Amino acid sequence: MDSELHGLNAGSDRECERLDYFDDVENNRKSSGSIPLKRQELLKWHGWGYKDTKVIVTQRGKLFITSNRYPLVKISQVSQKVREWIQQVWGIDLYEVENIPEPPENPEISNFPGPFLDSEFLDGLLTLQIVYSTDGEDRFFRSHGQAMSDIMNARQYQITRLPDLVVWPNSHEDVVKIVDLSNKCNIVIIPFGGGTNVTSAVTCNPNETRMIVSLDTSQMNQILWLDKRNLTVCVQSGITGQDLEEQLFREGFTTGHDPDSLEFSSVGGWVSTRASGMKKNRYGNIEDLVVHIRFVTAVGVLEKESRGPRISCGIDFNQIILGSEGTLGVITEVCLKVRHLPQLQVYASFVFPDFETGVKFTHDVAMKNIQPASLRLMDNMQFRMGLIMKEEQTFIGEIVDKLKLIALSAIANINEDEMSFAVAVFEGFKDEVAINKVKIEKLVVKYGGVSAGAKNGERGYLLTSTIGYMRDICLNLGMLSDSFETSVPWDRVLQLCQNVKSVVAEESKEKGLKHLSVCCRVTQVYDTGACVYFYFAFNAAGVVDALRVYEQIESRARDEAIACGGNISHHHGVGQKRRKWVPRQISPTAVGLYSAIKKTLDPNNVFAVQNIVLPAEITSSKL
Amino acid sequence: MSSNGSPSQIAEGTEQAEDRQKAANAAPQLQDVLRHTCPSPAGPRVLSTFRNILDRDSCDLVWVTKEWRPQQVTLHARTRTTAKIRQDVISSPKMQHTIEQLSSQNEVPKEALWRELNDILIEMGHTQTMPVVRWFGYVLSKIMRKIYSGVFVNEESIARLRASIGNNPVIFMPSHRSYADFLLMSYVCFHYNIMLPVIAAGMDFVSMWGVGRLLRDSGAFFIRRSFGNDKLYWAAFSEYVQTLITAGENPIEFFVEGTRSRTAKSLCPKLGLLSVALEPYLTGQVSDIVVVPINISYDRTLEETLYSYELLGVPKPKESTSGLFKALNVLDEQYGRIHIDFTEPISVNKFFGDLRSPKLMRPLHLPHQITPDESTRIIWLANYVVRQQQKNAVISLFSLAAVVITHHVLTKPRNQLLNMHQLTRQVASLKSAAESFGALIDCRDNLEVSLQNALHIHKSLIVTSKDGQVQVKNVAAAQAPIDPAKMKGHSLQDKTLQVGVPMVMLQHYVNQTLHLFICPAIVSLSVQQSINQGSGMKDDVFARYLFLRTLLSHEFILHKAWETMDFEQSIQQLQKLGVLDESLHDSMKLSLGSNSHLHQILCQLLLPFLAGYSSACSTMLEVPAGKTVSLNEALKSTQARLEKLLLSAQLNHHYSLSLDLLTAAVNSLSSMGAVIKNKENGKVLYSPNSNRLRQVTQIVGDFLQLVAPICRKSQDEQARLFITQAKARL
């Protein structure tokens, strides 16, 4: 306890000193990023997103969001029907859940272990005049990502090892210096961007004997330049998607990269995890958008001497940066493609008789190569889960809704308990959008679907941004819930969905779970296959060691997804959560290759965050 | 003997020895899987969990018209119409691909192939309709009430089944002893509100007017018995089965033994349909398949006489509706009880330890190529299924009585008749032996009463006179004369048939117990021979055991992977029963115990098999070098040889004449490398591999010497032990 306080005090002293310096720099900045140096001022410690934003359930199933950040879904009313259904599925009555216990606003400081500090490194940092902190809260905030297990562990202070120090470089040069210093002092660096990973990708190795530094790129948040003629933008890696898009918007541009975590995730994070954006059909995934990367490794900077649109010069080493997950170095600057803002953006939504016809429709969209900017298909259960967040209906509205349902079942032979729900975004010039829309609508009719309007489509997308908040209220209610994703060839999409659901149901039965839900959606439509997302939740009341039960079931589900022709991840990455599948997924030869790269680029293992491959496999590799 | 090499070496070619090694290597690992997958039930099975479903509160009419809300098989199941299923098969990627290929290979227009496919599917497809099922259920109830004294279902096993249904496709694999199996399974499922199975049936029913349609409407689909190289048919058939699996709307049911076992012994499992049904799992189209082995035990088999003739080579009448009506005279007889037990459901995924790999996955339109690993496990699973069926049998007291009676007929002088008192005593001791081998014996009252009831059901075969003498009845006398030209095997003499038919019928019931006794019998005989030759060492016994086991592996379910386990278990059981001496401290040396009577009975059980196999060996030895014989020729001349032996009192068990037994013998010799199987112009021909065959013949002969009965009787003398049909009527 003593040492902890001592460490804390010591940290605070130094920190104040450094923060003065920070303010000086701040004056010279063009714009400040939306993520402050002290994340805790803006963000929650016990869950997803902004401190001011949470979902609150009040009497008789009224749900509302406490901030104005998500206006379209601010207030919703759980209908009687949904209430009964949820009661049946989850064993929770949403009309009777007042005063849900909630973690305190600030974490209990006394729960943080003190830092282990290397004086040579600290002296080095002082000389370099780079801002750092050893404050417990700062370190705690960077000790985990956003996976459900991370949050559960954070809430229970089960994280045994925190980074010992947080450092905020401002530039590529700062990073080079920090990495050099760390390499010299034998210090561990864990790069930290937006903190939205769901793979335990920043978790410290509890057995690490060296000092661990969390390198927070959040202050490297500048657009370095925008080249309107060559349609490229060069940014520092710590800029968040939201900041980048806002600034580009003002100039009439967009990258079009739109992951669900856009508000918080950083460009560096996208690159290092091979992220995917919602509108990849129009703009491509991150690997399609990247033009140039500066990558600081322990043995030097890796970058190309070319900004040309394409290069054939042997192996493309950008590909070892993409997906390196912080294990090989730090991404400092990224040059991305941009496009002019679309003339028009239109949402749409459709219902289909069931999930199978929905899948056939999306498949046909791919066959005909008429993908809108984005197209997603929810299965029935996911659709119904979405109804939890439904606007409150006026009396008239309710009647209209009922009539709509009757009409649906009578005319289109679609019933509420079977139907699937698709949402789409069209982007481009007016005529382009119009043509695309007509083609899609024709196809919808071919598969027995019906249009369900633009507003439902927009709500569908907006709900995605609130899923993190919903996850947290579920946790408060005693529901463990998380998502996992995969990608799979078209001919196996439907079977994979069915099989994973069967396996989850079967495992849950074996584990004696009574109240659970597993649902899925197709979120990306490729020519050759699709990305499928699963949401699994169960009521943990009375379940012993619920977190482990969750992980066992998820692990079985992932085994099944792989066995059915899927893979370990479409865009979340490996992190420390999914390492056990890697050798089988990419072949032992590839693991050997990775190990060789790792040993070459990082001989002292500065980047000792143990993502992607189990440490033992690196050591045993003969390459 | 020593010059011939050790029996176990002779039992196997090198290849087979390697296979065995492989299986043995895989064994511990899979054993673990098995133990994990299939925990043995908490307590021993008891009769009290069996409930007679004919004995119900509601009358039949109310029962068949009850609301039909069966338990769903899978989460995603949707009921499809016959037309939709056909459509799904036709539009499946695999079918489309096959048609394209066949069209370009054989230069046939696709339209013609589509038409052909459509016809195949119409011929194959089931058309399950509830009104027919209900109506049929009503009629069945009436019939069953008349001929059976009860259909007993293990309700604990039903509860266990229910608990494992709901997420994954289900395959029912019942044992197959009678045509009644088809109907019984659906009947039971209807009773317990379990989704009715869709049943794979042989094409022979379709031609029966009305019956084909009736079975179709009850959920049977029909597969041709042989379709050789017909690629279109093969694709249609496998896609049909697979769409049933992947859609998971109904359980699918088929008989892993492939056909009705005429002998009442389990047949070696057939792998074709099982492999096809498992393909959706192997290719990741379903996450798991639940396989449920089911045992159906009959006190008395409807087809008992028919089977007996068939086994001796008298041709089976073609299935026809008029034949069926003729068979209706069975309705005047009593057939006792039926016991049905759904054994522990097997998760294929756990059983296989998940071998699936996307690396091996090909696009769905290409047929899956089964890997050697998968194939090993499929064989294992198939054998395991049959063993589970056996383990969960309910053995009737009559089967035990049949063992005792046969033993008596073979070993005692003709003037010494078996009386009821002796029978009861011997059945009692055999019962306790069987129970120690894990059998559940249907003995509800005290033994004497139960035994009398059991004998009463079989009064057409066994008669008990007023003074308590038990005699076999000569059933053959009442049959119409047999046209020798129609004999499938050797044209047996009338007097051979007169003793043969009842003896084979009796053996039908003896066979029902053999899965219990076979390993202990082999071990007992091996111990005796080893001791006679001055060894008795466990290794030596094991080698002899291995030879017999390999020899009989086409006769009984003796999967290689279990050979050590079975051996050790048998020794333990035999020691407990006093057949082997337990007291000796040298654990490596075995010796016989005090229970010589049981030892003798056990060894005697092997007699008809060893005798038949020995004759088959001699027949094959006589084939001149460079010449070949067809299976049929081999069977005929072996039967002829056996008949001579029977007539001259060198042999007195007529079951050796069984064509099934002799076929198994030839197959076994072929897998042991003692005869060589050649294919010429699509015909299978056999030629002897003289050296090895001589060795095998010698060893089989040595074993046969040991079991040959003490008291030899000629066939005529034996016949006098029987009372004829006519006499019985008086």
Side-chain angles (χ1 to χ4, degrees), chain B residues 174-182 202 204-205 225 255-267 270 298 301-304 306-307 310-311 316-319 324 508 660:
Chain B
S175 56
H176 200 14
R177 301 289 170 267
S178 166
Y179 279 143
D181 297 330
F182 280 102
D204 9 356
F205 292 105
R225 281 273 174 216
F255 302 102
V256 73
E257 295 164 281
T259 183
R260 286 174 303 156
S261 164
R262 271 74 169 161
T263 61
K265 285 188 287 101
S266 298
L267 299 174
K270 304 283 178 294
Y298 296 93
T301 314
L302 290 175
E303 298 97 328
E304 53 176 10
L306 200 62
Y307 286 162
E310 254 185 67
L311 288 176
K316 163 190 174 188
K318 201 169 176 251
E319 265 84 6
L324 185 77
H508 181 86
D660 272 30

Side-chain angles (χ1 to χ4, degrees), chain A residues 354-356 360 418 491-492 495-496 498-503 505-507 509-510 556 559-566 584-585, chain B residues 75-76 78 84 162-168 246 283-288 349-350 354-359 361-365:
Chain A
D354 54 27
F355 188 60
E356 185 176 349
K360 283 184 176 155
E418 294 276 310
D491 62 348
R492 293 177 182 274
Q495 279 154 352
L496 181 135
Q498 286 176 352
N499 292 357
V500 169
K501 286 187 214 171
S502 293
V503 161
E506 188 70 30
E507 284 291 303
K509 191 162 85 179
E510 261 175 44
R556 269 288 285 125
D559 280 341
E560 184 58 31
I562 292 171
C564 299
R584 186 177 158 199
Q585 193 87 84
Chain B
L75 290 172
H76 56 266
R78 304 251 185 301
K84 174 79 169 88
R162 284 183 172 291
S164 57
I165 287 187
N167 288 326
N168 292 304
T246 49
T283 55
Q285 297 181 68
V286 297
S287 59
D288 197 357
N349 188 48
K350 284 183 185 155
D354 208 345
L355 291 169
R356 296 173 295 168
S357 155
K359 202 162 55 184
M361 264 181 204
R362 309 202 296 167
L364 284 175
H365 67 273

